[in-house]
Amino acid sequence: MWINGTVLKRIDWNDKLFSLRIKADIEPFIAGQFIKLSQKRDDKRVARAYSLVNPPGTDYVEVLAVAVEEGLLSPDLQSLAPGDTIEITPKATGFMTLDEIPQGALQGKHLWFLATGTAVGPFISMLATDEPWQRFEKVVLVYGVRLAEDLAYLDTIKLLQQKYPQQFIFIPIVTREAFPDALSCRIPDGISSGLIEQKAGIGINAEYSQVMICGNPGMISDAQTALIEKGLNKNLRRAPGQITVEKYW
């Protein structure tokens, strides 16, 4: 089932990276979930999944995307302008949500978000809700990109730093150029070497940490390995742990 959405705004972060804000009557969702956008091309439907960047309760949906030259949908999405229409699924889905993190003694005190590229989207949605700030003493966003121009939503992140100065820790990672206060390593290497913990001023361990990872499969696999070496375990419903992941493709 598909419904029509109307583009309210397109935000161009650089020549390939963009956000679409869309007016659409979707069902209530949980921060971290995703919807699908779709277009018909030559009578064939092309659909792709995109995490919602906006928090629950807003009267629009927003997605963060990168236009891939050979992509079947993303170049068309990048060409959309306010007033244009796009088909969208009316119900969001996905398990990359704070509901999946164990409660009580298993929860820990520190919540870590590890993201690369557009996979920061679901974490921006979660950070805009009250839940992480009520459940955890410290919330850390580690956001890895190649170039500084690939860092989206920096203004939103800065507002969170102002609102939660004692709770929120932001660690940008830019691997191909210098950027103020940023690390330059891959996220898994930063975990293994201790650089990320040093930058955050808190450690990563099974007693205190819950880690959510979203991004490219290579980063996820290597980051999980680095975290397991630190004594953390994958979080499963039948066996609660400290590592919750979602692959972005």
Side-chain angles (χ1 to χ4, degrees), residues 14-62:
N14 58 41
D15 61 346
K16 294 292 184 184
L17 184 67
F18 64 97
S19 294
L20 285 179
R21 185 170 294 181
I22 303 165
K23 180 71 174 180
D25 188 21
I26 72 166
E27 298 177 24
F29 68 94
I30 303 170
Q33 292 187 313
F34 64 87
I35 46 86
K36 288 185 177 180
L37 298 180
S38 171
Q39 284 188 332
K40 288 272 191 76
R41 179 181 288 183
D42 299 328
D43 294 327
K44 292 183 179 180
R45 183 176 296 281
V46 179
R48 294 291 183 271
Y50 293 94
S51 290
L52 293 167
V53 181
N54 56 297
T58 50
D59 60 358
Y60 60 87
V61 299
E62 186 162 319

Side-chain angles (χ1 to χ4, degrees), residues 176-194:
R176 296 193 177 180
E177 65 180 357
F179 185 73
D181 293 324
L183 297 177
S184 60
C185 57
R186 290 181 66 242
I187 289 176
D189 297 336
I191 295 170
S192 296
S193 67

